[in-house]
Amino acid sequence: MNKKEIVYVVSDSVGETAELMVKAVTSQFNGADVEIQHISYVEDIQDLNNVIAVAKYSHSIIAYTIVIPDLKQYLDQRAREEGIIAVDLMNPLMEAFIEKFHKVPERQPGLMRKLDDNYFRRVEAIEFAVKYDDGQEIRGIKHADIVLVGVSRTSKTPLSMYLAHKKFKVANIPLVPEINPPEELFDIPKSKCIGLVITPDKLNEIREERLKSLGLNTHANYANLERILEELDYSETIMKRIGCPIINVSNKAVEETADLILAMLKKRGVINYE
């Protein structure tokens, strides 16, 4: 059995950047048998001495993203003295920024996470969209920024995910004649609810393609034109009862529909979106 090599990922923050870089390099060696060991939130020289000791003992590489000058200099010096390969993954690009843009870096650890509040909002919105997709959890309706309603195959799920990437919490509710919509749907502000409709022939085409992709009979009731008309009539009745805006998604890309939704909600003062 081949010996597993170790790379110590060292950072004065979380160390995600260094880990991704190491994984990217590893992939270029046919997924070499490399174990990544994390040493995050390095704060002082003693932390670095511990890393240097274990790296020397295991004949390993240190890959680091340390922006505090004193710690970086100490690690570079001690690694040279001990014959350890220590690779600075951040400083070469930082130096290029300094030379080209004539700006001085903050050299404070963890700034990316402090600045990137958008990242966490996006992750939260995506998790919300997954949890409250297709009416799975009715409680999500009152916590959503946007609620989408419509019959099956009106792009509710892809729209929810697309809008989630723009940091909006979206719940979507399918409208089916045999199932009463949740009462919570009529309690939320109608302005944040959007109804999605589609022409019968387009929906018929989409549903037949869906059945084909599943290896099912295209003559199933799901794609039956009379059934489709019944569903669309029912959905519009519910949308009128809610009093929500309605968008026809026929022949529209998800991005186009999403832009219409955001423009509509911004105009009504429901969201603040740039």
Side-chain angles (χ1 to χ4, degrees):
M1 174 183 278
N2 293 331
K3 175 187 174 184
K4 178 174 283 191
E5 305 293 345
I6 300 175
V7 176
Y8 289 95
V9 170
V10 182
S11 177
D12 44 20
S13 185
V14 180
E16 290 175 336
T17 304
E19 180 183 5
L20 288 172
M21 284 293 296
V22 171
K23 286 182 176 178
V25 171
T26 300
S27 70
Q28 297 299 315
F29 292 88
N30 296 318
D33 196 11
V34 173
E35 177 182 345
I36 298 175
Q37 294 278 355
H38 284 270
I39 296 90
S40 302
Y41 299 109
V42 168
E43 295 180 346
D44 52 39
I45 287 174
Q46 186 56 54
D47 290 336
L48 293 179
N49 284 334
N50 294 337
V51 175
I52 290 165
V54 294
K56 181 179 180 181
Y57 175 78
S58 58
H59 305 287
S60 303
I61 293 173
I62 296 175
Y64 69 89
T65 52
I66 293 178
V67 296
I68 299 175
D70 291 346
L71 292 181
K72 170 189 160 40
Q73 290 166 13
Y74 182 82
L75 176 55
D76 287 340
Q77 179 183 334
R78 292 290 292 119
R80 283 194 300 270
E81 292 172 353
E82 298 295 343
I84 300 168
I85 296 176
V87 183
D88 185 340
L89 300 176
M90 185 175 289
N91 198 63
L93 184 57
M94 192 178 293
E95 290 295 331
F97 271 52
I98 294 170
E99 180 181 347
K100 182 65 177 177
F101 304 134
H102 308 292
K103 293 183 180 296
V104 179
E106 297 287 343
R107 296 196 182 277
Q108 293 180 25
L111 284 183
M112 187 169 73
R113 282 192 168 265
K114 290 177 185 176
L115 292 174
D116 201 8
D117 179 57
N118 286 337
Y119 167 80
F120 295 104
R121 288 172 57 198
R122 185 176 294 108
V123 169
E124 184 181 8
I126 291 170
E127 290 175 347
F128 187 96
V130 171
K131 183 175 182 179
Y132 299 113
D133 180 47
D134 206 31
Q136 293 182 77
E137 282 274 0
I138 301 306
R139 290 174 300 173
I141 295 176
K142 63 182 180 180
H143 300 297
D145 299 316
I146 303 169
V147 178
L148 305 177
V149 297
V151 301
S152 173
R153 314 312 293 181
T154 48
S155 301
K156 295 188 302 299
T157 296
L159 272 169
S160 295
M161 295 307 300
Y162 184 88
L163 291 166
H165 276 84
K166 292 185 176 292
K167 304 180 290 295
F168 294 103
K169 295 179 181 178
V170 186
N172 72 77
I173 307 295
L175 298 179
V176 184
E178 292 77 18
I179 303 174
N180 290 328
E183 284 303 316
E184 290 85 347
L185 194 56
F186 305 100
D187 294 332
I188 62 172
K190 62 183 180 181
S191 54
K192 76 172 183 178
C193 184
I194 299 289
L196 304 175
V197 297
I198 189 172
T199 59
D201 57 331
K202 185 63 179 179
L203 184 55
N204 175 252
E205 177 186 329
I206 292 172
R207 288 189 175 183
E208 283 189 349
E209 287 301 318
R210 177 60 175 163
L211 291 171
K212 285 179 185 177
S213 70
L214 296 173
L216 301 175
N217 190 328
T218 57
H219 296 296
N221 192 45
Y222 180 68
N224 179 275
L225 194 55
E226 289 186 9
R227 169 64 183 184
I228 286 174
L229 289 169
E230 178 188 357
E231 289 186 37
L232 290 173
D233 285 344
Y234 172 77
S235 69
E236 290 199 45
T237 299
I238 297 300
M239 292 171 196
K240 288 176 181 176
R241 180 182 164 193
I242 296 170
C244 64
I246 297 174
I247 294 177
N248 191 321
V249 301
S250 305
N251 301 313
K252 283 188 177 67
V254 168
E255 297 86 348
E256 184 182 359
T257 304
D259 286 344
L260 283 172
I261 290 172
L262 294 177
M264 189 178 291
L265 295 182
K266 181 179 179 181
K267 185 176 180 180
R268 287 170 167 74
V270 179
I271 61 171
N272 182 19
Y273 174 68
E274 297 299 334

